[in-house]
Amino acid sequence: MHRRVLGQTGLEVSALGFGCAKLTAQPRADALKVLETAYAQGITHFDVARLYGLGWAEGILGEFLQGKRNRVTVTTKFGLQPPGGWVTHRRLVYAAKKVLGIFPPVVKLMRKRAHQGVQGGRFTPEDALKSLQTSLRELKTDYIDILLLHECDLADASAEPLVRALESQLSSGTVRNVGIGSDFSRLPTDLGRVPTLYKVIQFNHNAHTRNLLRLTRDGRALSTHTIFGPAAPLLEAIRNRPDAARQCAQEIGIERLDAKAISSLLLHYDLQTNPDGLVLFASINAAHVEANALDAATSKYDSKQMSRFVEFVDAMLGAIVAEQPARN
């Protein structure tokens, strides 16, 4: 796995990081196996949030981190809080999943109601400190490598009381770096407008949205995610237009544009467009984790091949996002 120093943070990270949003979609033992697989393949950065898994994902990651903490880096986030009520009782939820697993509509409704209880915009100094203390306890660590504001606006990040509180945590060593983790639509395209305190900016970017190309960069570390977002619509488009897919595959110089090839091209697109930052992915399948890590360690496509793939993505999905007018 290729490694790099992440911008001004000074952190050495694996080029590919593992996102923990889906950890609780499987039994705890299986989640730990997926994390161990990622680590065995050279992935040493793990991205989680107080919200993920109704607040339980940090605890699973914390168990995995034991004995490895000085060999890995961890991002967690605050600002979106898990819901309260019955969904905070793990045994009740696991029992409900087991009993209701044969009734998918009921499980879907449970998830919907849980997500409706998520509390957003929790960016006061008190909220930040309380969330950080919980994260440290759940992760079983005494420091966080990167702490992100989860789905904040520029006004949230610029609030002086919060800035002072975060500076205090940086001084104490409980947090080593802070940043912003928001949907791209909430970020200014000119990163120079973001307070210099925030050294890491995390957002959605892939071969379809191409958000990173719309930024005016200023040397901060960038962390991108949702890299496989276009995969399903692309595969559907390929089924409807097989001749165009065959022509593209021939021009790229690969045998066919199937699910494996599409995943590989999407992965390498982000690695190539964010060569100095972090590229995150999530999976609950240990075999997929291993395959992605092995793929990321190779240099499979040159700039000409990748440009042809991007043209294909635009033709199939009907959008050239990189040419849209930039927002202020």
Side-chain angles (χ1 to χ4, degrees):
M1 176 64 62
H2 301 297
R3 301 183 64 77
R4 68 241 344 222
V5 175
L6 189 61
Q8 301 168 351
T9 69
L11 298 173
E12 183 177 319
V13 299
S14 52
L16 196 62
F18 187 79
C20 299
K22 299 179 179 180
L23 280 186
T24 58
Q26 59 196 326
R28 192 180 186 94
D30 292 340
L32 289 168
K33 178 182 177 182
V34 168
L35 291 170
E36 292 289 355
T37 299
Y39 182 72
Q41 294 301 319
I43 295 175
T44 59
H45 186 82
F46 297 86
D47 180 279
V48 70
R50 184 82 285 277
L51 175 69
Y52 292 170
L54 301 177
W56 307 339
E58 285 181 325
I60 297 173
L61 181 60
E63 183 176 343
F64 159 78
L65 291 176
Q66 298 311 293
K68 307 181 185 71
R69 186 64 184 94
N70 64 343
R71 299 192 295 275
V72 302
T73 50
V74 175
T75 290
T76 194
K77 313 175 191 74
F78 75 95
L80 294 180
Q81 288 295 320
W86 66 270
V87 295
T88 63
H89 298 280
R90 304 184 190 193
R91 290 183 180 179
L92 287 177
V93 172
Y94 283 132
K97 283 184 177 180
K98 186 174 182 180
V99 173
L100 299 173
I102 59 174
F103 303 108
V106 178
V107 175
K108 186 176 181 180
L109 179 61
M110 289 171 57
R111 289 174 178 167
K112 180 179 179 181
R113 289 184 176 175
H115 285 295
Q116 287 173 341
V118 171
Q119 305 170 53
R122 304 291 295 271
F123 298 115
T124 68
E126 295 76 17
D127 288 329
L129 182 58
K130 182 178 180 180
S131 184
L132 173 60
Q133 290 173 338
T134 303
S135 292
L136 291 169
R137 183 177 65 249
E138 290 291 308
L139 290 165
K140 299 179 177 65
T141 184
D142 55 6
Y143 68 94
I144 303 297
D145 296 290
I146 303 172
L147 179 67
L148 301 181
L149 279 66
H150 203 178
E151 296 301 337
C152 72
D153 294 325
L154 184 58
D156 298 319
S158 302
E160 188 61 30
L162 176 62
V163 169
R164 289 197 300 268
L166 293 174
E167 288 174 339
S168 176
Q169 296 305 314
L170 289 167
S171 297
S172 70
T174 53
V175 176
R176 295 188 170 181
N177 299 276
V178 295
I180 294 171
S182 294
D183 185 88
F184 186 80
S185 64
R186 307 189 74 164
L187 299 174
T189 53
D190 180 3
L191 292 184
R193 297 176 57 200
V194 178
T196 56
L197 174 74
Y198 302 104
K199 294 183 179 180
V200 180
I201 308 296
Q202 183 169 299
F203 56 92
N204 47 307
H205 166 71
N206 55 55
H208 182 213
T209 62
R210 306 205 289 280
N211 288 323
L212 187 150
L213 306 185
R214 303 170 63 193
L215 287 174
T216 300
R217 300 177 61 175
D218 64 350
R220 288 180 227 229
L222 302 182
S223 175
T224 55
H225 60 82
T226 322
I227 61 177
F228 297 124
L234 270 178
L235 291 171
E236 178 64 25
I238 287 170
R239 283 190 288 270
N240 294 331
R241 298 181 61 184
D243 291 342
R246 279 192 291 269
Q247 181 179 348
C248 179
Q250 183 178 10
E251 293 173 357
I252 291 176
I254 60 178
E255 185 176 351
R256 65 176 64 87
L257 275 176
D258 55 10
K260 183 178 179 180
I262 290 294
S263 293
S264 178
L265 285 158
L266 290 172
L267 173 63
H268 282 275
Y269 174 81
D270 262 54
L271 289 169
Q272 288 187 22
T273 55
N274 190 14
D276 302 316
L278 265 169
V279 174
L280 302 173
F281 80 102
S283 177
I284 61 172
N285 186 308
H288 290 170
V289 172
E290 181 176 0
N292 286 332
L294 291 172
D295 194 10
T298 67
S299 298
K300 301 177 71 171
Y301 310 103
D302 59 29
S303 59
K304 185 177 179 180
Q305 290 172 303
M306 195 56 67
S307 294
R308 179 64 187 95
F309 174 63
V310 169
E311 290 174 0
F312 177 76
V313 171
D314 287 337
M316 293 295 101
L317 301 186
I320 305 178
V321 177
E323 296 181 1
Q324 293 179 355
R327 293 171 286 104
N328 292 326

